[in-house]
Amino acid sequence: QKEVEQDPGPLSVPEGAIVSLNCTYSNSAFQYFMWYRQYSRKGPELLMYTYSSGNKEDGRFTAQVDKSSKYISLFIRDSQPSDSATYLCAMSARDSSYKLIFGSGTRLLVRP
Amino acid sequence: SAVISQKPSRDICQRGTSLTIQCQVDSQVTMMFWYRQQPGQSLTLIATANQGSEATYESGFVIDKFPISRPNLTFSTLTVSNMSPEDSSIYLCSVEPGHPYGYTFGSGTRLTVV
């Protein structure tokens, strides 16, 4: 079993839709949770990070962490074609020297 | 956040040869990380490079295959040695800007071994 599971998609939605991206994990020691966006032929770009449980909002993006369920989500409101990319969740724990463990990524396509 | 320049951006190499990838950061950072992203796969950490010490390799990666240099606080290289088609991947460097989160990545090197 992988430490972090993420549905690879692809996920195809119409422009303006609300997108929900999710990851589950098995290591209860994870404390820091991140979402990266990766465009084709580019490196991952940090979108959101949260510490422990709770919600964080930044513009059209909302990150949620539910540590009791070992489940994290990224919501994108009013999705745009420019949001079409691969979204990677990542997480780390202090007792593993904050080494990032990534999900496999979800491909998102927002149709105009 | 730190800005990372990584080169080459892509290369096609013959099997049995070696390729050195360079990573330049616009600020001094303690730790630099090298990742591999195989086609359709997640990012996998190869090694952590601290200036002035030997790199620390993750399970499944060895120094003879992936030697790393870290001559100063803004630069690192990763060499992929004696390449085979299985080494065809995207290789990425990353830096940690003083926090346990918010890692910044370079744009990657897309390597194809033929």
Side-chain angles (χ1 to χ4, degrees), chain B:
Chain B
S1 62
V3 176
I4 301 174
S5 299
Q6 187 175 337
K7 58 182 180 181
S9 58
R10 60 191 306 159
D11 208 340
I12 300 173
C13 300
Q14 296 291 322
R15 68 173 67 202
T17 63
S18 297
L19 176 71
T20 295
I21 302 167
Q22 299 180 4
C23 182
Q24 178 76 52
V25 190
D26 69 344
S27 58
Q28 294 183 340
V29 291
T30 303
M31 299 167 73
M32 296 180 74
F33 306 88
W34 288 98
Y35 285 84
R36 181 174 72 183
Q37 187 175 28
Q38 294 178 301
Q41 302 290 318
S42 179
L43 279 76
T44 302
L45 181 63
I46 297 171
T48 302
N50 288 335
Q51 194 268 335
S53 63
E54 293 288 325
T56 303
Y57 289 82
E58 297 298 309
S59 175
F61 298 96
V62 294
I63 187 171
D64 290 346
K65 177 66 175 177
F66 297 102
I68 288 171
S69 77
R70 183 80 202 274
N72 57 52
L73 291 172
T74 64
F75 187 79
S76 178
T77 67
L78 170 76
T79 299
V80 186
S81 304
N82 188 24
M83 289 184 286
S84 66
E86 292 72 34
D87 295 319
S88 298
S89 288
I90 299 172
Y91 292 86
L92 296 138
C93 69
S94 174
V95 300
E96 177 267 317
H99 302 279
Y101 42 77
Y103 293 75
T104 301
F105 286 84
S107 56
T109 296
R110 184 178 294 269
L111 171 62
T112 302
V113 183
V114 297

Side-chain angles (χ1 to χ4, degrees), chain A residues 36-93:
Chain A
Y36 285 85
R37 177 175 62 196
Q38 187 174 23
Y39 291 113
S40 180
R41 305 183 189 282
K42 297 289 187 182
E45 169 196 9
L46 181 66
L47 276 178
M48 301 283 287
Y49 66 82
T50 52
Y51 171 69
S52 193
S53 285
N55 295 355
K56 185 171 184 178
E57 186 174 325
D58 184 0
R60 296 185 296 112
F61 299 91
T62 300
Q64 288 186 351
V65 175
D66 182 348
K67 290 195 71 179
S68 62
S69 301
K70 299 189 181 67
Y71 188 87
I72 69 170
S73 300
L74 177 70
F75 297 96
I76 307 174
R77 290 184 299 280
D78 187 25
S79 57
Q80 302 295 310
S82 59
D83 294 327
S84 298
T86 296
Y87 290 80
L88 300 148
C89 64
M91 42 201 82
S92 66

